[in-house]
Amino acid sequence: MNTTPLRGGCHCGRLGWEARLSQSAATLSPRACDCSFCTKHGAVWFSDAHGSVHLRLRGEPLRYRQGSAQAEFIACSHCAVLVMVTCLIDERTHAALNARTVDGPVPFAPEQPASPQRLDADDKRERWSQLWFPDVRFDYVDD
Ligand SMILES: [Zn+2]
């Protein structure tokens, strides 16, 4: 992994992430999930199965489950920006990041539609285990 880390986060700064990618962001097409939750947020997700994410949190975020309730969405409890989605797969936290929360110019390839809601619970986990960041670190920092 020798690409420059990407950085992003929520609007108010309580949640900040740094992602290390195994490939150029220009080769990643964020996935516009068509479930009702992601649609309401306009969320588009990116991840790298050979990359890593470090999430820095000031205070507890909002956590929300819906649909098959396997995945947990993480949003800022102050400014309400939806930043990340996680899922515990084989006892390991996997995650994808909301590409809308990247700081600076958008570095990604064009978005493409995705419809994980058509998969059953096992197939979702299988898909996410192949797509999502498998290396996720959370750091709680004081105000
Ligand atoms: Zn915030």
Side-chain angles (χ1 to χ4, degrees), residues 10-14 76 79:
C10 72
H11 190 261
C12 74
R14 281 172 168 79
C76 179
C79 72

Side-chain angles (χ1 to χ4, degrees), residues 115-142:
S115 192
Q117 64 180 338
R118 284 195 248 134
L119 302 174
D120 70 26
D122 287 344
D123 287 346
K124 277 184 195 164
R125 275 201 310 281
E126 177 66 25
R127 175 179 162 83
W128 297 338
S129 74
Q130 291 168 6
L131 284 179
W132 286 12
F133 290 102
D135 183 352
V136 186
R137 191 157 60 92
F138 292 81
D139 262 333
Y140 285 88
V141 297
D142 294 331

Side-chain angles (χ1 to χ4, degrees), residues 17 19 21 31 45-55 71-72 74 83-89 92-98 128-138:
W17 54 258
L21 304 177
R31 299 176 296 277
W45 302 100
F46 78 96
S47 53
D48 182 334
H50 303 285
S52 65
V53 181
H54 176 202
L55 182 68
E72 184 168 80
I74 296 179
V83 169
M84 181 187 258
V85 61
T86 66
C87 186
L88 199 60
I89 302 168
R92 192 179 178 97
T93 298
H94 288 62
L97 289 166
N98 185 354
W128 297 338
S129 74
Q130 291 168 6
L131 284 179
W132 286 12
F133 290 102
D135 183 352
V136 186
R137 191 157 60 92
F138 292 81

Side-chain angles (χ1 to χ4, degrees), residues 32-45 66 82 114 117:
C33 174
D34 67 355
C35 86
S36 54
F37 180 76
C38 291
T39 298
K40 282 176 186 275
H41 274 279
V44 290
W45 302 100
Q66 52 94 36
L82 174 63
Q117 64 180 338

